[in-house]
Amino acid sequence: MILQGTQTLTSLIHIISESLLTPVVILLVIAVIIVLLAFGGIINEFISRKAISSKELEELIRSISFSNNVSQMKEVIDNSNLFDYQKIILNRIADNYDIGKEARKAFASELISDEETRLIKSTNKTDILVRVGPILGLLGTLIPLGPGLAALGSGDISTLAQALTIAFDTTVTGLSVGALAYIISKFKKQWYESDLITTETLAEAELESISRW
């Protein structure tokens, strides 16, 4: 039983719901493109990625710790297997050897914090898709079911079959986008967290070495 006066509102909601199907499908296609590009990017990063080993890190810490001047310290950093952004951070810390101890420590912390923010931003798209992908899939599932069930009531099996096909396709697509985006974000965050820990460790070695000059 439909309450008097609500028929217009329910009709409006029905129109809005039906009109959302095309945008949902378009957004799903865009999400698939984004996640595939991100997947290609992470494969390329995995192939080209050469993080330093614990032995290399140990040797690098010792070399930095026993550096006698800025030039020697920067030479050690530049000749290491660190990533370029790590070298930039450590070299900027070394270049500011002449400022106060506390200021130097705060400056190093700020550099690392800025880099952490930049790395986190690089995973924003996939982080969003982890949640948005399944939501779009669910919307793509529910929206066609209304007309499909209505068609079933009038005996139109063809329309129902088409609605169910759209529903299943969007569900699978949305869940696949969410799952792949989760895997990409998970691996990238693990890599970046490890890199930042390495950078922080070397920065501490730098600060201790500089404080002895």
Side-chain angles (χ1 to χ4, degrees):
M1 178 180 176
I2 300 177
L3 295 176
Q4 187 177 2
T6 60
Q7 186 173 0
T8 303
L9 293 176
T10 54
S11 298
L12 178 61
I13 292 174
H14 177 72
I15 293 171
I16 293 173
S17 176
E18 291 295 303
S19 64
L20 287 176
L21 182 58
T22 299
V24 166
V25 172
I26 292 173
L27 289 174
L28 269 176
V29 172
I30 294 173
V32 169
I33 294 172
I34 292 173
V35 80
L36 288 178
L37 291 174
F39 186 67
I42 197 174
I43 290 176
N44 181 62
E45 187 174 353
F46 175 76
I47 294 173
S48 60
R49 183 178 179 80
K50 295 180 180 178
I52 64 173
S53 64
S54 58
K55 182 64 177 177
E56 289 176 314
L57 179 60
E58 179 183 355
E59 292 175 355
L60 189 54
I61 291 172
R62 293 184 62 84
S63 297
I64 289 175
S65 296
F66 293 117
S67 297
N68 296 317
N69 52 60
V70 176
S71 298
Q72 186 178 354
M73 180 178 287
K74 292 180 69 174
E75 183 180 357
V76 169
I77 294 169
D78 289 335
N79 292 332
S80 68
N81 292 324
L82 293 169
F83 298 112
D84 289 341
Y85 77 85
Q86 293 175 306
K87 292 180 181 180
I88 291 172
I89 290 174
L90 296 175
N91 280 330
R92 287 187 66 185
I93 295 172
D95 287 335
N96 288 275
Y97 70 96
D98 52 347
I99 63 177
K101 180 180 179 181
E102 292 302 319
R104 189 167 56 244
K105 185 176 181 180
F107 178 66
S109 178
E110 182 63 24
L111 287 177
I112 295 173
S113 178
D114 286 345
E115 188 59 33
E116 182 179 8
T117 301
R118 186 188 71 81
L119 293 175
I120 290 174
K121 286 182 178 179
S122 70
T123 65
N124 278 351
K125 289 182 181 178
T126 48
D127 285 343
I128 292 172
L129 290 179
V130 169
R131 296 185 178 275
V132 173
I135 291 174
L136 291 174
L138 180 60
L139 287 172
T141 302
L142 296 177
I143 293 172
L145 287 182
L149 293 175
L152 178 62
S154 60
D156 188 355
I157 302 300
S158 177
T159 301
L160 174 62
Q162 184 179 4
L164 289 176
T165 300
I166 296 173
F168 284 123
D169 288 346
T170 53
T171 300
V172 172
T173 303
L175 291 176
S176 298
V177 167
L180 193 56
Y182 174 79
I183 293 172
I184 293 169
S185 288
K186 187 71 173 178
F187 274 100
K188 291 185 77 171
K189 286 178 179 178
Q190 287 179 346
W191 291 344
Y192 297 155
E193 183 179 356
S194 176
D195 293 345
L196 287 170
I197 290 173
T198 298
T199 306
E200 288 176 358
T201 303
L202 294 172
E204 285 290 337
E206 265 191 306
L207 293 172
E208 288 184 8
S209 180
I210 292 173
S211 65
R212 292 197 299 267
W213 296 347

Short mmCIF file of all heavy atoms in Angstrom, two decimals, residues 64 67-78 90-98 104 206 209-210 213:
data_model
loop_
_atom_site.label_atom_id
_atom_site.label_comp_id
_atom_site.label_asym_id
_atom_site.label_seq_id
_atom_site.Cartn_x
_atom_site.Cartn_y
_atom_site.Cartn_z
N ILE A 64 78.89 7.01 6.62
CA ILE A 64 78.38 8.34 6.96
C ILE A 64 78.86 8.77 8.34
O ILE A 64 79.26 9.91 8.56
CB ILE A 64 76.83 8.36 6.88
CG1 ILE A 64 76.36 8.26 5.43
CG2 ILE A 64 76.28 9.62 7.53
CD1 ILE A 64 74.87 8.16 5.26
N SER A 67 82.44 10.00 8.35
CA SER A 67 82.78 11.09 7.43
C SER A 67 83.35 12.26 8.22
O SER A 67 82.88 12.58 9.32
CB SER A 67 81.54 11.54 6.66
OG SER A 67 81.05 10.49 5.86
N ASN A 68 84.35 12.91 7.64
CA ASN A 68 85.03 14.00 8.35
C ASN A 68 84.58 15.38 7.91
O ASN A 68 84.90 16.37 8.57
CB ASN A 68 86.55 13.88 8.16
CG ASN A 68 87.09 12.60 8.79
OD1 ASN A 68 86.70 12.23 9.90
ND2 ASN A 68 87.97 11.92 8.06
N ASN A 69 83.86 15.46 6.79
CA ASN A 69 83.39 16.75 6.30
C ASN A 69 82.20 16.55 5.39
O ASN A 69 81.83 15.41 5.06
CB ASN A 69 84.52 17.51 5.58
CG ASN A 69 85.17 16.66 4.51
OD1 ASN A 69 84.51 16.21 3.57
ND2 ASN A 69 86.48 16.42 4.65
N VAL A 70 81.60 17.66 4.96
CA VAL A 70 80.39 17.60 4.13
C VAL A 70 80.66 16.94 2.79
O VAL A 70 79.89 16.11 2.32
CB VAL A 70 79.83 19.02 3.91
CG1 VAL A 70 78.63 18.98 2.98
CG2 VAL A 70 79.42 19.64 5.23
N SER A 71 81.77 17.30 2.17
CA SER A 71 82.09 16.75 0.85
C SER A 71 82.22 15.24 0.89
O SER A 71 81.70 14.52 0.01
CB SER A 71 83.39 17.37 0.32
OG SER A 71 83.25 18.76 0.16
N GLN A 72 82.88 14.74 1.91
CA GLN A 72 83.06 13.30 2.04
C GLN A 72 81.72 12.61 2.29
O GLN A 72 81.44 11.55 1.71
CB GLN A 72 84.03 13.01 3.19
CG GLN A 72 84.39 11.53 3.32
CD GLN A 72 85.39 11.29 4.45
OE1 GLN A 72 85.89 12.24 5.06
NE2 GLN A 72 85.68 10.03 4.72
N MET A 73 80.88 13.22 3.13
CA MET A 73 79.58 12.64 3.44
C MET A 73 78.68 12.61 2.19
O MET A 73 78.05 11.59 1.90
CB MET A 73 78.89 13.46 4.55
CG MET A 73 77.52 12.93 4.95
SD MET A 73 76.80 13.91 6.30
CE MET A 73 77.81 13.37 7.68
N LYS A 74 78.68 13.70 1.42
CA LYS A 74 77.85 13.76 0.22
C LYS A 74 78.36 12.79 -0.85
O LYS A 74 77.57 12.22 -1.61
CB LYS A 74 77.82 15.19 -0.32
CG LYS A 74 77.07 16.16 0.58
CD LYS A 74 77.05 17.57 0.03
CE LYS A 74 76.18 17.65 -1.21
NZ LYS A 74 76.04 19.05 -1.68
N GLU A 75 79.65 12.58 -0.89
CA GLU A 75 80.21 11.63 -1.84
C GLU A 75 79.76 10.21 -1.51
O GLU A 75 79.42 9.43 -2.41
CB GLU A 75 81.74 11.72 -1.82
CG GLU A 75 82.40 10.79 -2.85
CD GLU A 75 83.92 10.90 -2.82
OE1 GLU A 75 84.45 11.74 -2.05
OE2 GLU A 75 84.58 10.16 -3.56
N VAL A 76 79.75 9.89 -0.23
CA VAL A 76 79.27 8.57 0.21
C VAL A 76 77.82 8.37 -0.18
O VAL A 76 77.42 7.31 -0.69
CB VAL A 76 79.44 8.42 1.74
CG1 VAL A 76 78.71 7.17 2.23
CG2 VAL A 76 80.92 8.34 2.10
N ILE A 77 77.00 9.41 0.05
CA ILE A 77 75.57 9.34 -0.27
C ILE A 77 75.35 9.20 -1.77
O ILE A 77 74.57 8.36 -2.23
CB ILE A 77 74.84 10.58 0.27
CG1 ILE A 77 74.88 10.59 1.80
CG2 ILE A 77 73.39 10.62 -0.22
CD1 ILE A 77 74.44 11.89 2.42
N ASP A 78 76.07 10.01 -2.55
CA ASP A 78 75.87 10.00 -4.01
C ASP A 78 76.31 8.68 -4.64
O ASP A 78 75.77 8.28 -5.68
CB ASP A 78 76.65 11.16 -4.65
CG ASP A 78 76.02 12.51 -4.33
OD1 ASP A 78 74.81 12.55 -4.06
OD2 ASP A 78 76.76 13.52 -4.33
N LEU A 90 69.06 13.51 2.13
CA LEU A 90 70.29 13.39 2.92
C LEU A 90 71.31 14.45 2.54
O LEU A 90 72.01 14.98 3.42
CB LEU A 90 70.88 11.99 2.74
CG LEU A 90 70.00 10.84 3.25
CD1 LEU A 90 70.61 9.49 2.91
CD2 LEU A 90 69.78 10.95 4.76
N ASN A 91 71.39 14.80 1.28
CA ASN A 91 72.32 15.85 0.86
C ASN A 91 71.88 17.22 1.36
O ASN A 91 72.72 18.06 1.71
CB ASN A 91 72.43 15.88 -0.67
CG ASN A 91 73.37 14.80 -1.20
OD1 ASN A 91 74.31 14.40 -0.52
ND2 ASN A 91 73.11 14.33 -2.41
N ARG A 92 70.58 17.46 1.41
CA ARG A 92 70.10 18.75 1.94
C ARG A 92 70.40 18.86 3.43
O ARG A 92 70.72 19.95 3.93
CB ARG A 92 68.60 18.88 1.70
CG ARG A 92 68.24 19.14 0.24
CD ARG A 92 66.76 19.44 0.08
NE ARG A 92 66.39 20.69 0.73
CZ ARG A 92 65.14 21.12 0.81
NH1 ARG A 92 64.14 20.40 0.28
NH2 ARG A 92 64.86 22.26 1.40
N ILE A 93 70.30 17.74 4.14
CA ILE A 93 70.67 17.76 5.56
C ILE A 93 72.15 18.07 5.72
O ILE A 93 72.56 18.88 6.56
CB ILE A 93 70.32 16.41 6.22
CG1 ILE A 93 68.81 16.19 6.22
CG2 ILE A 93 70.87 16.36 7.66
CD1 ILE A 93 68.40 14.80 6.69
N ALA A 94 72.97 17.43 4.88
CA ALA A 94 74.42 17.66 4.95
C ALA A 94 74.77 19.10 4.61
O ALA A 94 75.67 19.69 5.22
CB ALA A 94 75.13 16.69 4.01
N ASP A 95 74.06 19.67 3.63
CA ASP A 95 74.35 21.05 3.23
C ASP A 95 74.07 22.05 4.34
O ASP A 95 74.62 23.16 4.34
CB ASP A 95 73.51 21.42 2.00
CG ASP A 95 74.03 20.75 0.73
OD1 ASP A 95 75.24 20.42 0.68
OD2 ASP A 95 73.23 20.54 -0.21
N ASN A 96 73.21 21.68 5.27
CA ASN A 96 72.85 22.57 6.38
C ASN A 96 73.56 22.17 7.68
O ASN A 96 73.01 22.31 8.77
CB ASN A 96 71.34 22.56 6.59
CG ASN A 96 70.60 23.28 5.48
OD1 ASN A 96 70.44 24.50 5.53
ND2 ASN A 96 70.15 22.54 4.48
N TYR A 97 74.80 21.73 7.52
CA TYR A 97 75.59 21.31 8.69
C TYR A 97 75.91 22.47 9.62
O TYR A 97 76.20 22.28 10.80
CB TYR A 97 76.91 20.68 8.21
CG TYR A 97 77.87 21.67 7.61
CD1 TYR A 97 78.89 22.24 8.37
CD2 TYR A 97 77.76 22.06 6.28
CE1 TYR A 97 79.76 23.16 7.82
CE2 TYR A 97 78.63 22.97 5.72
CZ TYR A 97 79.63 23.53 6.50
OH TYR A 97 80.49 24.44 5.95
N ASP A 98 75.87 23.71 9.07
CA ASP A 98 76.33 24.87 9.83
C ASP A 98 75.24 25.52 10.69
O ASP A 98 75.52 26.50 11.38
CB ASP A 98 76.93 25.92 8.89
CG ASP A 98 75.98 26.27 7.74
OD1 ASP A 98 74.99 25.54 7.55
OD2 ASP A 98 76.24 27.27 7.06
N ARG A 104 68.80 21.85 12.94
CA ARG A 104 69.18 20.84 11.95
C ARG A 104 68.32 19.59 12.11
O ARG A 104 67.87 18.99 11.13
CB ARG A 104 70.66 20.50 12.12
CG ARG A 104 71.22 19.63 11.04
CD ARG A 104 72.75 19.61 11.10
NE ARG A 104 73.25 19.18 12.38
CZ ARG A 104 73.96 19.94 13.20
NH1 ARG A 104 74.22 21.20 12.86
NH2 ARG A 104 74.40 19.47 14.35
N GLU A 206 73.70 10.82 10.01
CA GLU A 206 74.22 12.10 9.54
C GLU A 206 74.27 13.13 10.66
O GLU A 206 75.29 13.82 10.87
CB GLU A 206 73.33 12.64 8.42
CG GLU A 206 73.78 12.31 7.03
CD GLU A 206 73.00 13.10 6.00
OE1 GLU A 206 71.76 13.06 6.02
OE2 GLU A 206 73.65 13.79 5.17
N SER A 209 76.96 12.42 13.15
CA SER A 209 78.29 12.69 12.60
C SER A 209 78.57 14.19 12.52
O SER A 209 79.67 14.65 12.89
CB SER A 209 78.40 12.05 11.21
OG SER A 209 79.66 12.29 10.65
N ILE A 210 77.57 14.95 12.05
CA ILE A 210 77.76 16.39 11.93
C ILE A 210 77.97 17.05 13.28
O ILE A 210 78.76 17.99 13.42
CB ILE A 210 76.53 17.02 11.23
CG1 ILE A 210 76.47 16.56 9.76
CG2 ILE A 210 76.55 18.54 11.30
CD1 ILE A 210 75.21 16.97 9.03
N TRP A 213 81.58 17.37 14.43
CA TRP A 213 82.57 18.20 13.72
C TRP A 213 82.87 19.47 14.50
O TRP A 213 82.04 20.06 15.14
CB TRP A 213 82.04 18.56 12.33
CG TRP A 213 81.86 17.35 11.43
CD1 TRP A 213 82.32 16.09 11.63
CD2 TRP A 213 81.13 17.32 10.19
NE1 TRP A 213 81.94 15.26 10.61
CE2 TRP A 213 81.21 15.98 9.71
CE3 TRP A 213 80.43 18.26 9.47
CZ2 TRP A 213 80.62 15.59 8.52
CZ3 TRP A 213 79.84 17.88 8.29
CH2 TRP A 213 79.93 16.56 7.81
#
